[in-house]
Amino acid sequence: MYSPEILLTAVLNGLMTGAVYALIAVGLTLVYGVLHIINFAHGATLTAAMFAVYVLHAAFGLDPYLAMAVTVPGFFALGYAVQRLVIGPASHGDDGNILLVTLGLAIIIENALLVVFRSDTRSIDVPYGFAVIEVGPLFLSLPRVIAVFVVLLVALLLWLFLARSTTGQAIRAVAKEKMGAALVGIDVGHIYAVTFGLGAACLAVAASLLMPTFLVNPRIGNAFVLVAFTIVVLGGMGSIPGALLGGLFIGVVESLSGLFMGESLGQIGIFLIFILVLLFRPTGLFGAKA
């Protein structure tokens, strides 16, 4: 039996890891909430963002956290342009076509990264990568503590943007009723593109938070997006609060599963939760029936 200190440390580290999972899931659920489709390119975009952080550090010595100043606006612009110039025109307004287009984009991005970076696994060496903070008898990873505060700040800024700004109100209007929003003069195509841009920007932040402690290869995003999809289902499709709370919960489940069953089996608990939610509450914690 593990001591209370070990269990508490596992729970806290799980919460901190779950915060980054939540941020990845927020980008996924935001796109679903507005466009009502799953963005299959989400994982590949996260991988591209992680490689962008890696390149900025390897080529220019830029710290992963400072790299956000470059990657966040860059990936917002990329997400906006891809939706506006590729996904929108190629889908011809058909949701089924959007799914196929995003799946095609995922394949293109992943193979482009394989061409450029091969299948090698890369990492970033930063002096604080293995640093810990002592809180009484507990030892907490410094990068994960930083990640929690950054995710909370991003969540607050996103809430303020959606609640107070004109564009945020337009996003909520399109999410509720696309045709009605168009009738009152809202440019639905522009709102779709902004939403994709916000989703990509969330991934850029998550990439900077992951790189000090995680490895990156051209397929790494697939593992994260599977966890993010579980979080979205748990929290409720389209629910941003559900994604945040679901991410924290899934982080704790993964941490405790890894503690009791071994690190390699840590994600078994996540997918057990996924199956149970689908069986007993398919709308998730905060989802509503269609």
Side-chain angles (χ1 to χ4, degrees):
M1 185 65 182
Y2 293 101
S3 68
E5 290 81 6
I6 292 176
L7 290 174
L8 183 56
T9 300
V11 169
L12 291 176
N13 278 298
L15 286 171
M16 291 184 287
T17 301
V20 181
Y21 288 162
L23 185 59
I24 298 170
V26 162
L28 190 63
T29 203
L30 184 63
V31 171
Y32 178 86
V34 177
L35 279 74
H36 305 294
I37 58 101
I38 298 296
N39 176 17
F40 285 121
H42 202 67
T45 306
L46 174 62
T47 306
M50 293 175 75
F51 270 114
V53 175
Y54 169 80
V55 168
L56 288 171
H57 182 270
F60 305 104
L62 197 60
D63 184 88
Y65 298 134
L66 296 178
M68 289 186 213
V70 178
T71 59
V72 171
F75 272 80
F76 174 83
L78 178 64
Y80 185 98
V82 166
Q83 162 59 26
R84 194 73 166 178
L85 303 177
V86 179
I87 297 175
S91 65
H92 302 290
D94 188 310
D95 289 350
N97 289 343
I98 294 177
L99 294 174
L100 293 175
V101 173
T102 59
L103 179 60
L105 284 172
I107 295 171
I108 291 170
I109 293 170
E110 185 174 306
N111 283 278
L113 292 173
L114 279 169
V115 169
V116 175
F117 297 101
R118 307 300 179 186
S119 59
D120 298 336
T121 297
R122 317 292 177 100
S123 64
I124 286 178
D125 184 19
V126 289
Y128 52 81
F130 296 98
V132 297
I133 298 176
E134 292 186 41
V135 182
L138 307 180
F139 295 88
L140 305 178
S141 168
L142 176 60
R144 293 182 181 182
V145 172
I146 294 172
V148 169
F149 285 103
V150 173
V151 170
L152 290 175
L153 177 60
V154 170
L156 175 62
L157 293 175
L158 186 59
W159 177 79
L160 289 172
F161 174 77
L162 292 174
R164 303 295 177 84
S165 71
T166 302
T167 302
Q169 292 170 359
I171 289 173
R172 291 188 288 119
V174 171
K176 284 287 186 183
E177 178 52 63
K178 178 178 70 174
M179 185 175 294
L183 289 174
V184 298
I186 295 175
D187 185 345
V188 174
H190 170 68
I191 295 303
Y192 279 3
V194 169
T195 304
F196 257 81
L198 289 173
C202 288
L203 293 178
V205 176
S208 289
L209 300 178
L210 289 169
M211 282 308 295
T213 54
F214 280 84
L215 306 174
V216 60
N217 62 60
R219 293 189 174 91
I220 191 68
N222 295 330
F224 286 108
V225 83
L226 283 174
V227 176
F229 186 71
T230 303
I231 292 167
V232 169
V233 171
L234 174 63
M237 302 292 282
S239 170
I240 291 177
L244 292 171
L245 293 176
L248 297 176
F249 178 72
I250 288 297
V252 173
V253 169
E254 181 185 43
S255 181
L256 292 178
S257 297
L259 180 65
F260 287 106
M261 295 187 291
E263 196 67 32
S264 61
L265 299 176
Q267 290 197 339
I268 286 181
I270 294 177
F271 296 109
L272 286 175
I273 294 293
F274 179 68
I275 293 170
L276 291 173
V277 170
L278 289 178
L279 285 173
F280 297 107
R281 191 174 174 83
T283 59
L285 298 177
F286 294 89
K289 292 183 179 180

